Amino acid sequence: MTDYRKLVDEALAAKAYAYAPYSGLHVGAALLCNDSEIFTGVNVENVSYGATNCAERTAVFKAVSEGKREFSAIAVTSDLDKPIYPCGICRQVLTEFKIPIVIVADRNGNYKIHRTEELIPNAFSEF
Ligand code: THU
């Protein structure tokens, strides 16, 4: 099994930059590209709550907007004592970019590994 320690640690470090004045929940993500580069992301909230962007999507959009298209895994963590799981919209975005592995971690960095397909079975994809 691949060791995702470094990726989880990057997600934990990124969490410090979360902008979460409304929920108070700080979330950090780290996306591993096939070329080994890592892009981090945090949740960026808005007073108009629906305009909030989750940490996972921030990481994906940063990477895609810098030309990356091939990914191997994404790690996500938060302030919680249990692993945090991506929301439905983020799962759809992970599907779009064929990110195969999602690592969910708690605040101490304990993590579990999932295949994206498990988290969003029968996803809407190509048509
Ligand atoms: N959030 C994420 O950034 N990622 C997740 O996996 C779940 C939820 C954020 C959105 C919002 O800023 C806060 O957590 C509470 O929902």
Side-chain angles (χ1 to χ4, degrees):
M1 188 186 292
T2 313
D3 182 7
Y4 289 112
R5 183 80 267 149
K6 177 177 159 55
L7 198 63
V8 170
D9 285 347
E10 294 261 354
L12 282 166
K15 189 165 69 80
Y17 302 120
Y19 177 73
Y22 305 105
S23 74
L25 182 64
H26 302 90
V27 186
L31 174 63
L32 180 61
C33 303
N34 282 4
D35 64 6
S36 296
E37 198 168 338
I38 292 174
F39 284 79
T40 60
V42 299
N43 52 332
V44 182
E45 296 188 346
N46 193 281
V47 64
S48 176
Y49 299 167
T52 291
N53 208 61
C54 291
E56 299 91 317
R57 275 178 287 142
T58 302
V60 171
F61 296 160
K62 281 173 66 180
V64 171
S65 65
E66 294 196 24
K68 305 295 180 181
R69 289 292 165 86
E70 308 287 333
F71 308 105
S72 48
I74 188 167
V76 57
T77 188
S78 77
D79 300 327
L80 301 176
D81 286 328
K82 60 182 183 182
I84 187 166
Y85 281 81
C87 78
I89 294 175
C90 286
R91 292 177 197 209
Q92 185 66 38
V93 170
L94 302 180
T95 300
E96 180 72 26
F97 292 101
K98 300 182 169 57
I99 299 167
I101 301 288
V102 181
I103 301 108
V104 294
D106 67 21
R107 66 200 300 265
N108 297 310
N110 303 305
Y111 65 85
K112 291 199 263 191
I113 302 167
H114 292 278
R115 285 181 307 106
T116 304
E117 270 171 25
E118 285 173 56
L119 301 182
I120 180 167
N122 305 117
F124 178 58
S125 55
E126 281 135 33
F127 61 91

